[in-house]
Amino acid sequence: MAGRKKREREKLERKQHRQRILVSLMPAVLLFYEEMALKWTTVGGPWNITILFTALFSIAYGLLLFVLTSLSKHPRVNLFFRRLALLVIGVIYTAYYFEYRIFKMFYDLRTVFSGGTDALTGFTTDTVNLVFSIPGLLHILLFLGPIVLYLILSRKADRGERLHDLEPFLLITCFILFYVGGVLAISFSRVMYGVYTSEYSFQTAVTDFGLATGIRLDGEHLLNRKDPVSYTHLRAHE
């Protein structure tokens, strides 16, 4: 009898362990999905090595997000911030899709904070018509639907438990490996590495590395007070 209970407990523990691994990977999966959905619905191709860059960075950011939302000893706190973060991510990608549809480009942070919103308000009627059109609503569903569906279906699997034992070390190690892997992969291309460093352009960074990396690089340039290279100037040298 004791042996049977032990086997059942071990079986339950293995099941919970598999669920925990899956839950820890879902932010990365959802982030990569958002990146691909944005690329597909805006700039389109080319579907080349840039997919690898986006995938590596998406996995890194997703793992980091899971770690940051697993630090509290209160499961409800972890769940609240994790779900909020995923919803915010979905809203951001949805907003950038509509921005691209209206202006045919991605606004960097500098433009958004220094007058991009004023330009957007000038298109209020067109924006509202676009958002509430059939294609607009379908694209909202495209970006937000999978996230909302995951949040509903993961209510039992994701219990918001705090990381314990070696889990923080392993997840941070994986984050570093995927992040460094993304940078190393970019470094093999002189043009790509130029976009990532000295010849940074927000439009090109979003196209080649994904929106999340583009926003990160843009934030770094704002903090360092560096002016980005224009999109047309950079593409002219490819």
mmCIF file of all heavy atoms in Angstrom, residues 132-170:
data_model
loop_
_atom_site.group_PDB
_atom_site.id
_atom_site.type_symbol
_atom_site.label_atom_id
_atom_site.label_comp_id
_atom_site.label_asym_id
_atom_site.label_seq_id
_atom_site.Cartn_x
_atom_site.Cartn_y
_atom_site.Cartn_z
ATOM 1 N N PHE A 132 -12.072 48.981 -36.139
ATOM 2 C CA PHE A 132 -13.365 48.321 -36.000
ATOM 3 C C PHE A 132 -13.898 47.752 -37.311
ATOM 4 O O PHE A 132 -15.060 47.345 -37.382
ATOM 5 C CB PHE A 132 -14.378 49.293 -35.401
ATOM 6 C CG PHE A 132 -14.112 49.596 -33.947
ATOM 7 C CD1 PHE A 132 -13.454 50.766 -33.573
ATOM 8 C CD2 PHE A 132 -14.480 48.687 -32.964
ATOM 9 C CE1 PHE A 132 -13.183 51.044 -32.247
ATOM 10 C CE2 PHE A 132 -14.219 48.956 -31.636
ATOM 11 C CZ PHE A 132 -13.562 50.126 -31.264
ATOM 12 N N SER A 133 -13.056 47.723 -38.335
ATOM 13 C CA SER A 133 -13.431 47.039 -39.569
ATOM 14 C C SER A 133 -13.278 45.531 -39.366
ATOM 15 O O SER A 133 -12.653 45.082 -38.400
ATOM 16 C CB SER A 133 -12.542 47.505 -40.723
ATOM 17 O OG SER A 133 -11.187 47.117 -40.487
ATOM 18 N N ILE A 134 -13.824 44.750 -40.280
ATOM 19 C CA ILE A 134 -13.699 43.295 -40.179
ATOM 20 C C ILE A 134 -12.226 42.866 -40.178
ATOM 21 O O ILE A 134 -11.804 42.082 -39.301
ATOM 22 C CB ILE A 134 -14.478 42.587 -41.303
ATOM 23 C CG1 ILE A 134 -15.979 42.891 -41.181
ATOM 24 C CG2 ILE A 134 -14.246 41.080 -41.245
ATOM 25 C CD1 ILE A 134 -16.583 42.427 -39.877
ATOM 26 N N PRO A 135 -11.391 43.365 -41.116
ATOM 27 C CA PRO A 135 -9.972 42.992 -41.074
ATOM 28 C C PRO A 135 -9.295 43.441 -39.780
ATOM 29 O O PRO A 135 -8.450 42.725 -39.234
ATOM 30 C CB PRO A 135 -9.383 43.716 -42.293
ATOM 31 C CG PRO A 135 -10.542 43.908 -43.209
ATOM 32 C CD PRO A 135 -11.700 44.163 -42.312
ATOM 33 N N GLY A 136 -9.672 44.625 -39.285
ATOM 34 C CA GLY A 136 -9.073 45.117 -38.048
ATOM 35 C C GLY A 136 -9.398 44.229 -36.866
ATOM 36 O O GLY A 136 -8.522 43.876 -36.071
ATOM 37 N N LEU A 137 -10.661 43.832 -36.736
ATOM 38 C CA LEU A 137 -11.069 42.965 -35.631
ATOM 39 C C LEU A 137 -10.423 41.588 -35.743
ATOM 40 O O LEU A 137 -10.052 40.980 -34.734
ATOM 41 C CB LEU A 137 -12.592 42.837 -35.616
ATOM 42 C CG LEU A 137 -13.363 44.126 -35.283
ATOM 43 C CD1 LEU A 137 -14.864 43.905 -35.417
ATOM 44 C CD2 LEU A 137 -13.033 44.602 -33.864
ATOM 45 N N LEU A 138 -10.266 41.101 -36.969
ATOM 46 C CA LEU A 138 -9.613 39.808 -37.162
ATOM 47 C C LEU A 138 -8.143 39.868 -36.750
ATOM 48 O O LEU A 138 -7.609 38.895 -36.184
ATOM 49 C CB LEU A 138 -9.736 39.367 -38.627
ATOM 50 C CG LEU A 138 -11.126 38.940 -39.084
ATOM 51 C CD1 LEU A 138 -11.124 38.617 -40.573
ATOM 52 C CD2 LEU A 138 -11.602 37.724 -38.279
ATOM 53 N N HIS A 139 -7.500 41.007 -36.992
ATOM 54 C CA HIS A 139 -6.100 41.140 -36.598
ATOM 55 C C HIS A 139 -5.969 41.315 -35.085
ATOM 56 O O HIS A 139 -4.982 40.867 -34.501
ATOM 57 C CB HIS A 139 -5.447 42.310 -37.341
ATOM 58 C CG HIS A 139 -5.028 41.955 -38.735
ATOM 59 N ND1 HIS A 139 -5.878 42.047 -39.801
ATOM 60 C CD2 HIS A 139 -3.844 41.470 -39.217
ATOM 61 C CE1 HIS A 139 -5.251 41.652 -40.897
ATOM 62 N NE2 HIS A 139 -4.022 41.298 -40.572
ATOM 63 N N ILE A 140 -6.933 41.960 -34.452
ATOM 64 C CA ILE A 140 -6.933 42.019 -32.983
ATOM 65 C C ILE A 140 -7.035 40.599 -32.427
ATOM 66 O O ILE A 140 -6.326 40.234 -31.474
ATOM 67 C CB ILE A 140 -8.097 42.888 -32.474
ATOM 68 C CG1 ILE A 140 -7.864 44.357 -32.846
ATOM 69 C CG2 ILE A 140 -8.252 42.749 -30.962
ATOM 70 C CD1 ILE A 140 -9.025 45.274 -32.485
ATOM 71 N N LEU A 141 -7.903 39.812 -33.033
ATOM 72 C CA LEU A 141 -8.041 38.408 -32.616
ATOM 73 C C LEU A 141 -6.750 37.643 -32.878
ATOM 74 O O LEU A 141 -6.348 36.793 -32.064
ATOM 75 C CB LEU A 141 -9.204 37.765 -33.375
ATOM 76 C CG LEU A 141 -9.528 36.311 -33.024
ATOM 77 C CD1 LEU A 141 -9.961 36.188 -31.564
ATOM 78 C CD2 LEU A 141 -10.622 35.772 -33.946
ATOM 79 N N LEU A 142 -6.092 37.949 -33.981
ATOM 80 C CA LEU A 142 -4.836 37.277 -34.323
ATOM 81 C C LEU A 142 -3.762 37.517 -33.273
ATOM 82 O O LEU A 142 -3.032 36.591 -32.883
ATOM 83 C CB LEU A 142 -4.341 37.770 -35.692
ATOM 84 C CG LEU A 142 -2.978 37.236 -36.160
ATOM 85 C CD1 LEU A 142 -3.077 35.754 -36.497
ATOM 86 C CD2 LEU A 142 -2.476 38.036 -37.362
ATOM 87 N N PHE A 143 -3.662 38.751 -32.783
ATOM 88 C CA PHE A 143 -2.616 39.098 -31.828
ATOM 89 C C PHE A 143 -2.990 38.777 -30.382
ATOM 90 O O PHE A 143 -2.148 38.329 -29.604
ATOM 91 C CB PHE A 143 -2.271 40.590 -31.947
ATOM 92 C CG PHE A 143 -1.472 40.921 -33.179
ATOM 93 C CD1 PHE A 143 -2.086 41.507 -34.279
ATOM 94 C CD2 PHE A 143 -0.127 40.646 -33.244
ATOM 95 C CE1 PHE A 143 -1.361 41.814 -35.424
ATOM 96 C CE2 PHE A 143 0.610 40.943 -34.373
ATOM 97 C CZ PHE A 143 -0.011 41.527 -35.476
ATOM 98 N N LEU A 144 -4.238 39.015 -30.027
ATOM 99 C CA LEU A 144 -4.635 38.844 -28.630
ATOM 100 C C LEU A 144 -5.291 37.498 -28.341
ATOM 101 O O LEU A 144 -5.262 37.023 -27.201
ATOM 102 C CB LEU A 144 -5.593 39.963 -28.225
ATOM 103 C CG LEU A 144 -4.971 41.358 -28.097
ATOM 104 C CD1 LEU A 144 -6.054 42.398 -27.813
ATOM 105 C CD2 LEU A 144 -3.926 41.376 -26.989
ATOM 106 N N GLY A 145 -5.873 36.880 -29.365
ATOM 107 C CA GLY A 145 -6.591 35.639 -29.174
ATOM 108 C C GLY A 145 -5.765 34.521 -28.536
ATOM 109 O O GLY A 145 -6.180 33.933 -27.519
ATOM 110 N N PRO A 146 -4.592 34.203 -29.082
ATOM 111 C CA PRO A 146 -3.790 33.116 -28.493
ATOM 112 C C PRO A 146 -3.371 33.389 -27.052
ATOM 113 O O PRO A 146 -3.324 32.466 -26.232
ATOM 114 C CB PRO A 146 -2.563 33.058 -29.417
ATOM 115 C CG PRO A 146 -3.057 33.587 -30.723
ATOM 116 C CD PRO A 146 -4.025 34.673 -30.356
ATOM 117 N N ILE A 147 -3.072 34.641 -26.733
ATOM 118 C CA ILE A 147 -2.673 34.975 -25.364
ATOM 119 C C ILE A 147 -3.840 34.786 -24.402
ATOM 120 O O ILE A 147 -3.691 34.177 -23.335
ATOM 121 C CB ILE A 147 -2.138 36.421 -25.296
ATOM 122 C CG1 ILE A 147 -0.817 36.518 -26.056
ATOM 123 C CG2 ILE A 147 -1.954 36.867 -23.842
ATOM 124 C CD1 ILE A 147 -0.233 37.915 -26.100
ATOM 125 N N VAL A 148 -4.991 35.312 -24.769
ATOM 126 C CA VAL A 148 -6.178 35.165 -23.917
ATOM 127 C C VAL A 148 -6.542 33.693 -23.768
ATOM 128 O O VAL A 148 -6.872 33.223 -22.669
ATOM 129 C CB VAL A 148 -7.360 35.958 -24.501
ATOM 130 C CG1 VAL A 148 -8.630 35.681 -23.702
ATOM 131 C CG2 VAL A 148 -7.052 37.453 -24.500
ATOM 132 N N LEU A 149 -6.473 32.939 -24.872
ATOM 133 C CA LEU A 149 -6.787 31.511 -24.824
ATOM 134 C C LEU A 149 -5.820 30.778 -23.896
ATOM 135 O O LEU A 149 -6.237 29.925 -23.092
ATOM 136 C CB LEU A 149 -6.715 30.920 -26.233
ATOM 137 C CG LEU A 149 -7.081 29.434 -26.359
ATOM 138 C CD1 LEU A 149 -8.538 29.215 -25.949
ATOM 139 C CD2 LEU A 149 -6.850 28.952 -27.791
ATOM 140 N N TYR A 150 -4.535 31.122 -23.976
ATOM 141 C CA TYR A 150 -3.554 30.481 -23.091
ATOM 142 C C TYR A 150 -3.834 30.809 -21.628
ATOM 143 O O TYR A 150 -3.759 29.931 -20.761
ATOM 144 C CB TYR A 150 -2.145 30.927 -23.458
ATOM 145 C CG TYR A 150 -1.132 30.544 -22.399
ATOM 146 C CD1 TYR A 150 -0.751 29.221 -22.226
ATOM 147 C CD2 TYR A 150 -0.592 31.508 -21.551
ATOM 148 C CE1 TYR A 150 0.151 28.862 -21.234
ATOM 149 C CE2 TYR A 150 0.313 31.154 -20.558
ATOM 150 C CZ TYR A 150 0.682 29.828 -20.410
ATOM 151 O OH TYR A 150 1.567 29.477 -19.426
ATOM 152 N N LEU A 151 -4.150 32.064 -21.351
ATOM 153 C CA LEU A 151 -4.422 32.457 -19.965
ATOM 154 C C LEU A 151 -5.618 31.707 -19.399
ATOM 155 O O LEU A 151 -5.641 31.379 -18.214
ATOM 156 C CB LEU A 151 -4.660 33.968 -19.896
ATOM 157 C CG LEU A 151 -3.455 34.854 -20.245
ATOM 158 C CD1 LEU A 151 -3.833 36.322 -20.128
ATOM 159 C CD2 LEU A 151 -2.269 34.542 -19.344
ATOM 160 N N ILE A 152 -6.591 31.413 -20.253
ATOM 161 C CA ILE A 152 -7.766 30.668 -19.802
ATOM 162 C C ILE A 152 -7.423 29.198 -19.586
ATOM 163 O O ILE A 152 -7.773 28.609 -18.551
ATOM 164 C CB ILE A 152 -8.906 30.804 -20.824
ATOM 165 C CG1 ILE A 152 -9.396 32.257 -20.893
ATOM 166 C CG2 ILE A 152 -10.072 29.875 -20.462
ATOM 167 C CD1 ILE A 152 -10.414 32.516 -21.985
ATOM 168 N N LEU A 153 -6.717 28.599 -20.529
ATOM 169 C CA LEU A 153 -6.427 27.171 -20.470
ATOM 170 C C LEU A 153 -5.351 26.822 -19.448
ATOM 171 O O LEU A 153 -5.249 25.660 -19.032
ATOM 172 C CB LEU A 153 -5.999 26.663 -21.854
ATOM 173 C CG LEU A 153 -7.057 26.754 -22.959
ATOM 174 C CD1 LEU A 153 -6.495 26.241 -24.274
ATOM 175 C CD2 LEU A 153 -8.313 25.973 -22.576
ATOM 176 N N SER A 154 -4.535 27.808 -19.063
ATOM 177 C CA SER A 154 -3.412 27.518 -18.156
ATOM 178 C C SER A 154 -3.742 27.777 -16.690
ATOM 179 O O SER A 154 -2.847 27.775 -15.844
ATOM 180 C CB SER A 154 -2.199 28.365 -18.554
ATOM 181 O OG SER A 154 -2.458 29.754 -18.337
ATOM 182 N N ARG A 155 -4.996 27.994 -16.394
ATOM 183 C CA ARG A 155 -5.371 28.339 -15.021
ATOM 184 C C ARG A 155 -4.979 27.244 -14.034
ATOM 185 O O ARG A 155 -4.602 27.533 -12.897
ATOM 186 C CB ARG A 155 -6.874 28.622 -14.942
ATOM 187 C CG ARG A 155 -7.302 29.849 -15.727
ATOM 188 C CD ARG A 155 -8.818 29.988 -15.711
ATOM 189 N NE ARG A 155 -9.302 30.312 -14.381
ATOM 190 C CZ ARG A 155 -9.490 31.546 -13.938
ATOM 191 N NH1 ARG A 155 -9.206 32.569 -14.723
ATOM 192 N NH2 ARG A 155 -9.945 31.758 -12.727
ATOM 193 N N LYS A 156 -5.057 25.984 -14.460
ATOM 194 C CA LYS A 156 -4.699 24.887 -13.569
ATOM 195 C C LYS A 156 -3.201 24.579 -13.626
ATOM 196 O O LYS A 156 -2.579 24.272 -12.607
ATOM 197 C CB LYS A 156 -5.500 23.633 -13.927
ATOM 198 C CG LYS A 156 -6.984 23.742 -13.624
ATOM 199 C CD LYS A 156 -7.689 22.431 -13.919
ATOM 200 C CE LYS A 156 -9.182 22.532 -13.585
ATOM 201 N NZ LYS A 156 -9.899 21.250 -13.865
ATOM 202 N N ALA A 157 -2.621 24.643 -14.815
ATOM 203 C CA ALA A 157 -1.210 24.281 -14.972
ATOM 204 C C ALA A 157 -0.279 25.330 -14.375
ATOM 205 O O ALA A 157 0.730 24.994 -13.741
ATOM 206 C CB ALA A 157 -0.885 24.076 -16.450
ATOM 207 N N ASP A 158 -0.597 26.604 -14.580
ATOM 208 C CA ASP A 158 0.253 27.686 -14.074
ATOM 209 C C ASP A 158 -0.280 28.141 -12.717
ATOM 210 O O ASP A 158 -1.248 28.877 -12.624
ATOM 211 C CB ASP A 158 0.268 28.848 -15.060
ATOM 212 C CG ASP A 158 1.299 29.914 -14.675
ATOM 213 O OD1 ASP A 158 1.955 29.749 -13.632
ATOM 214 O OD2 ASP A 158 1.443 30.891 -15.422
ATOM 215 N N ARG A 159 0.394 27.721 -11.670
ATOM 216 C CA ARG A 159 -0.053 28.048 -10.309
ATOM 217 C C ARG A 159 0.720 29.206 -9.712
ATOM 218 O O ARG A 159 0.529 29.552 -8.544
ATOM 219 C CB ARG A 159 0.066 26.805 -9.427
ATOM 220 C CG ARG A 159 -0.855 25.678 -9.844
ATOM 221 C CD ARG A 159 -0.648 24.466 -8.990
ATOM 222 N NE ARG A 159 0.730 23.988 -9.084
ATOM 223 C CZ ARG A 159 1.079 22.704 -9.033
ATOM 224 N NH1 ARG A 159 0.155 21.794 -8.905
ATOM 225 N NH2 ARG A 159 2.340 22.352 -9.094
ATOM 226 N N GLY A 160 1.629 29.794 -10.488
ATOM 227 C CA GLY A 160 2.360 30.962 -10.007
ATOM 228 C C GLY A 160 3.354 30.673 -8.907
ATOM 229 O O GLY A 160 3.679 31.562 -8.116
ATOM 230 N N GLU A 161 3.839 29.454 -8.854
ATOM 231 C CA GLU A 161 4.765 29.079 -7.781
ATOM 232 C C GLU A 161 6.099 29.812 -7.907
ATOM 233 O O GLU A 161 6.553 30.112 -9.006
ATOM 234 C CB GLU A 161 5.016 27.567 -7.808
ATOM 235 C CG GLU A 161 3.789 26.732 -7.504
ATOM 236 C CD GLU A 161 4.061 25.248 -7.661
ATOM 237 O OE1 GLU A 161 4.864 24.896 -8.543
ATOM 238 O OE2 GLU A 161 3.472 24.463 -6.901
ATOM 239 N N ARG A 162 6.701 30.063 -6.766
ATOM 240 C CA ARG A 162 8.004 30.707 -6.736
ATOM 241 C C ARG A 162 9.074 29.718 -7.191
ATOM 242 O O ARG A 162 8.985 28.517 -6.936
ATOM 243 C CB ARG A 162 8.312 31.188 -5.320
ATOM 244 C CG ARG A 162 9.594 32.008 -5.199
ATOM 245 C CD ARG A 162 9.783 32.447 -3.765
ATOM 246 N NE ARG A 162 10.900 33.356 -3.624
ATOM 247 C CZ ARG A 162 11.290 33.876 -2.468
ATOM 248 N NH1 ARG A 162 10.631 33.575 -1.356
ATOM 249 N NH2 ARG A 162 12.309 34.713 -2.421
ATOM 250 N N LEU A 163 10.098 30.226 -7.891
ATOM 251 C CA LEU A 163 11.199 29.373 -8.310
ATOM 252 C C LEU A 163 11.952 28.860 -7.088
ATOM 253 O O LEU A 163 12.128 29.579 -6.111
ATOM 254 C CB LEU A 163 12.158 30.150 -9.212
ATOM 255 C CG LEU A 163 11.581 30.628 -10.560
ATOM 256 C CD1 LEU A 163 12.601 31.455 -11.302
ATOM 257 C CD2 LEU A 163 11.128 29.457 -11.405
ATOM 258 N N HIS A 164 12.389 27.621 -7.167
ATOM 259 C CA HIS A 164 13.106 27.058 -6.026
ATOM 260 C C HIS A 164 14.256 26.178 -6.499
ATOM 261 O O HIS A 164 14.370 25.839 -7.693
ATOM 262 C CB HIS A 164 12.160 26.238 -5.141
ATOM 263 C CG HIS A 164 11.335 25.234 -5.893
ATOM 264 N ND1 HIS A 164 11.821 24.032 -6.326
ATOM 265 C CD2 HIS A 164 10.037 25.289 -6.301
ATOM 266 C CE1 HIS A 164 10.882 23.359 -6.956
ATOM 267 N NE2 HIS A 164 9.780 24.103 -6.954
ATOM 268 N N ASP A 165 15.130 25.825 -5.575
ATOM 269 C CA ASP A 165 16.295 24.984 -5.844
ATOM 270 C C ASP A 165 17.160 25.592 -6.960
ATOM 271 O O ASP A 165 17.530 26.754 -6.865
ATOM 272 C CB ASP A 165 15.863 23.554 -6.195
ATOM 273 C CG ASP A 165 15.106 22.880 -5.052
ATOM 274 O OD1 ASP A 165 15.381 23.238 -3.885
ATOM 275 O OD2 ASP A 165 14.242 22.043 -5.319
ATOM 276 N N LEU A 166 17.416 24.800 -8.015
ATOM 277 C CA LEU A 166 18.295 25.260 -9.095
ATOM 278 C C LEU A 166 17.535 25.940 -10.235
ATOM 279 O O LEU A 166 18.153 26.342 -11.226
ATOM 280 C CB LEU A 166 19.081 24.069 -9.658
ATOM 281 C CG LEU A 166 20.122 23.446 -8.731
ATOM 282 C CD1 LEU A 166 20.757 22.232 -9.402
ATOM 283 C CD2 LEU A 166 21.193 24.462 -8.347
ATOM 284 N N GLU A 167 16.223 26.057 -10.112
ATOM 285 C CA GLU A 167 15.432 26.615 -11.215
ATOM 286 C C GLU A 167 15.868 28.019 -11.626
ATOM 287 O O GLU A 167 16.026 28.287 -12.831
ATOM 288 C CB GLU A 167 13.951 26.601 -10.852
ATOM 289 C CG GLU A 167 13.351 25.203 -10.834
ATOM 290 C CD GLU A 167 11.905 25.198 -10.429
ATOM 291 O OE1 GLU A 167 11.468 26.154 -9.768
ATOM 292 O OE2 GLU A 167 11.200 24.229 -10.767
ATOM 293 N N PRO A 168 16.073 28.970 -10.689
ATOM 294 C CA PRO A 168 16.511 30.305 -11.117
ATOM 295 C C PRO A 168 17.833 30.260 -11.870
ATOM 296 O O PRO A 168 17.990 30.929 -12.906
ATOM 297 C CB PRO A 168 16.652 31.068 -9.786
ATOM 298 C CG PRO A 168 15.787 30.330 -8.829
ATOM 299 C CD PRO A 168 15.876 28.891 -9.233
ATOM 300 N N PHE A 169 18.782 29.483 -11.365
ATOM 301 C CA PHE A 169 20.094 29.382 -12.013
ATOM 302 C C PHE A 169 19.972 28.812 -13.423
ATOM 303 O O PHE A 169 20.563 29.333 -14.384
ATOM 304 C CB PHE A 169 21.026 28.510 -11.169
ATOM 305 C CG PHE A 169 22.321 28.189 -11.841
ATOM 306 C CD1 PHE A 169 23.342 29.131 -11.907
ATOM 307 C CD2 PHE A 169 22.521 26.937 -12.413
ATOM 308 C CE1 PHE A 169 24.536 28.835 -12.546
ATOM 309 C CE2 PHE A 169 23.716 26.631 -13.043
ATOM 310 C CZ PHE A 169 24.724 27.582 -13.115
ATOM 311 N N LEU A 170 19.184 27.758 -13.579
ATOM 312 C CA LEU A 170 19.035 27.117 -14.882
ATOM 313 C C LEU A 170 18.348 28.043 -15.882
ATOM 314 O O LEU A 170 18.767 28.139 -17.049
ATOM 315 C CB LEU A 170 18.236 25.817 -14.733
ATOM 316 C CG LEU A 170 18.930 24.685 -13.972
ATOM 317 C CD1 LEU A 170 17.975 23.503 -13.784
ATOM 318 C CD2 LEU A 170 20.189 24.244 -14.696
#
